Amino acid sequence: MQMWILMYVFSYSVSPVATNDKAEWRVLPTVVFQEFSSEERCRTAKFTLEGSLKEAGAKLRSGLEDLKSIGKADPAQIIIAYNVECLPK
């Protein structure tokens, strides 16, 4: 029986302008692996996770736009990236 691995990589970077730390942009990645007994179960989890990440990203951007309108933040000060893949083990 072939197993499947859901690989989830999420990273974000915050502009030094947005913090007190004036160092370079920092990439802060998270990598998660989860094993599934079938490709179908893996793809279902992938679809659900991608939907959640898109929704979370939209909420974050909206909040940053609200802060931008009062001069406190800018969506350009954060970079969010993610990738979700189902891979045979």
Side-chain angles (χ1 to χ4, degrees), residues 8 12 23-24 48 57 67 78 82:
Y8 153 48
Y12 67 95
E24 294 180 18
T48 302
L67 289 172
I78 189 166
Y82 66 87

Side-chain angles (χ1 to χ4, degrees), residues 1 4 9 15 17 25 32 53 55-57 64 70 72 74 88:
M1 176 186 228
W4 287 80
V9 180
S15 167
V17 174
W25 285 71
V32 177
L53 290 170
E55 184 178 319
L64 289 171
I70 59 172
K72 297 292 183 185
D74 186 335

Side-chain angles (χ1 to χ4, degrees), residues 3-80:
M3 299 296 286
W4 287 80
I5 303 293
L6 177 72
M7 181 183 73
Y8 153 48
V9 180
F10 176 82
S11 66
Y12 67 95
S13 296
V14 178
S15 167
V17 174
T19 69
N20 290 330
D21 184 358
K22 299 305 177 201
E24 294 180 18
W25 285 71
R26 291 196 184 119
V27 176
L28 305 167
T30 299
V31 181
V32 177
F33 296 94
Q34 185 173 355
E35 194 171 84
F36 289 88
S37 59
S38 72
E39 182 178 11
E40 181 183 345
R41 293 186 74 202
C42 187
R43 295 207 182 278
T44 298
K46 177 183 188 278
F47 177 75
T48 302
L49 183 56
E50 286 175 327
S52 295
L53 290 170
K54 286 177 186 175
E55 184 178 319
K59 286 180 182 178
L60 177 61
R61 295 272 182 227
S62 175
L64 289 171
E65 285 293 342
D66 291 345
L67 289 172
K68 183 179 180 180
S69 70
I70 59 172
K72 297 292 183 185
D74 186 335
Q77 294 174 334
I78 189 166
I79 296 171
I80 299 169

